[in-house]
Amino acid sequence: MEKHIQDLHFRFRMYGKNAREWTRKCALLLPEIVRERVWEKKGFDSVYMYARVLAGMGNNAVNDALRILHSIENMPALQKVVEAKGLNAVRPVVAIATSETELFWAGKAMEMSKHTLELYVKEQHDSRTGTENTIEFPEQKAITKKIIALDVDPEVASELEKLKGKDGDWNTLMKELLEMREKMLAQEKPEEKVTESRHIPAAIERYVIERARGTCELRTCTKKYAILHHIQRFALEKTHDPSRIIALCKPHERMVHLGLIEDEHIQPRDWSIAKEPNKNDPKYAIDQMVQKYRKPI
Ligand SMILES: [Zn+2]
């Protein structure tokens, strides 16, 4: 019985995988089908009908394929990615890739999931343009500040306003609160634990999650953390050091393991995303091994 279930599941999965592969091949032919008006010559009312009848593709799928393939029509490397991984894999880069950069983006699209690639594109962009608003004060030079709205209870609001005082400013108050939090965390920090076991001791795990408040610790990322990451790589130095364990969301953990962080030993809030991995770093070899044993997320 168990074997029968396994067999059914195995076959369904394999056929599904093949079906997707053949649909991708069909999609890649569409631009030329349209250009040569093959659908008309073969007696169909429209390319949509042609694609629906012959390949089971819906109208949206046809439009989507034509739009994406049009934007990469002179980019053979990205077209190869579409053939291997589908249209979604290149979607995050179609608006930014050019004939000069398509090889770079094709490489990234092959090794990253769509989700990770989206974040990588966004961060490359943010690091070039900066995301803070610049407010001009007439009597001072430009000061970079960011305005945020707080969604708090009325009691919390009045307490904060009181703490700030009539002549105080929010920046000083908030900085003070953050510094207090940091001091408190420093006092609570558990000892580093040298061990053969990969399992992070509960007290260290609790501490890291509390420090991160359950959020990814990389730069301005506000995603929920998914993985506790050893920046020294556990395989290279068998220790659980709370200062060197970082809470990361899935896409950022992937980027770390692709070697795309400039310097992991500074605070993760200051990490920047690199264009290419540093292949001489011993961590790179470890990370390459990790890649082999996992599927893209
Ligand atoms: Zn993140």
Side-chain angles (χ1 to χ4, degrees), residues 25 41 64 114 137 139 159 181 202 249 254 276:
K25 287 184 191 294
K41 288 167 190 159
D64 198 43
K114 181 194 167 211
F137 288 84
E139 64 278 69
E159 206 163 323
R181 182 170 190 269
C249 68
R254 291 283 296 164
E276 294 297 341

Side-chain angles (χ1 to χ4, degrees), residues 57-279:
M57 291 177 81
N59 292 6
N60 289 341
V62 173
N63 285 336
D64 198 43
L66 287 173
R67 188 182 62 80
I68 289 184
L69 292 169
H70 176 68
S71 41
I72 59 168
E73 67 186 339
N74 298 316
M75 304 183 196
L78 282 174
Q79 284 171 12
K80 281 248 154 45
V81 178
V82 173
E83 198 174 346
K85 291 181 76 182
L87 291 161
N88 269 334
V90 301
R91 199 182 294 276
V93 300
V94 287
I96 50 168
T98 61
S99 324
E100 288 78 44
T101 61
E102 67 133 353
L103 255 181
F104 171 80
W105 288 118
K108 294 284 176 268
M110 275 313 284
E111 64 182 5
M112 288 178 182
S113 71
K114 181 194 167 211
H115 202 58
T116 306
L117 184 62
E118 263 166 8
L119 206 61
Y120 182 75
V121 168
K122 185 176 174 297
E123 272 158 9
Q124 288 275 321
H125 177 78
D126 288 353
S127 66
R128 276 200 311 274
T129 56
T131 46
E132 282 88 15
N133 300 320
T134 301
I135 302 172
E136 298 279 346
F137 288 84
E139 64 278 69
Q140 298 166 0
K141 55 181 186 194
I143 297 176
T144 307
K145 292 255 198 248
K146 196 171 178 180
I147 296 167
I148 55 168
L150 297 177
D151 186 7
V152 292
D153 292 337
E155 306 89 77
V156 177
S158 47
E159 206 163 323
L160 282 172
E161 270 174 340
K162 187 167 164 33
L163 280 175
K164 178 179 83 77
K166 193 165 160 283
D167 300 319
D169 66 278
W170 288 115
N171 202 48
T172 311
L173 172 64
M174 289 304 172
K175 255 173 134 169
E176 202 181 301
L177 294 177
L178 287 172
E179 275 161 19
M180 277 164 69
R181 182 170 190 269
E182 229 153 74
K183 266 189 208 142
M184 196 185 74
L185 283 164
Q187 281 165 14
E188 284 175 11
K189 185 154 90 178
E191 292 283 310
E192 171 176 356
K193 177 140 198 230
V194 180
T195 168
E196 283 295 310
S197 163
R198 287 189 153 272
H199 184 75
I200 302 175
I204 296 181
E205 184 178 330
R206 256 199 319 274
Y207 166 80
V208 175
I209 296 169
E210 193 192 325
R211 183 189 64 210
R213 291 202 80 245
T215 305
C216 172
E217 293 186 275
L218 193 143
R219 291 220 311 211
T220 52
C221 183
T222 51
K223 283 200 180 63
K224 198 173 170 317
Y225 96 97
I227 289 147
L228 299 183
H229 166 72
H230 292 75
I231 58 174
Q232 90 282 7
R233 305 296 183 273
F234 189 79
L236 288 178
E237 190 189 334
K238 293 185 174 160
T239 179
H240 300 291
D241 176 359
S243 304
R244 291 185 292 162
I245 298 178
I246 309 289
L248 292 174
C249 68
K250 276 190 186 175
H252 278 133
E253 196 253 1
R254 291 283 296 164
M255 281 187 216
V256 170
H257 284 288
L258 290 167
L260 293 173
I261 300 298
E262 295 274 9
D263 181 5
E264 270 182 74
H265 290 277
I266 58 173
Q267 295 194 77
R269 70 174 79 140
D270 297 324
W271 281 5
S272 52
I273 309 289
K275 276 194 123 172
E276 294 297 341
N278 173 7
K279 294 186 177 161

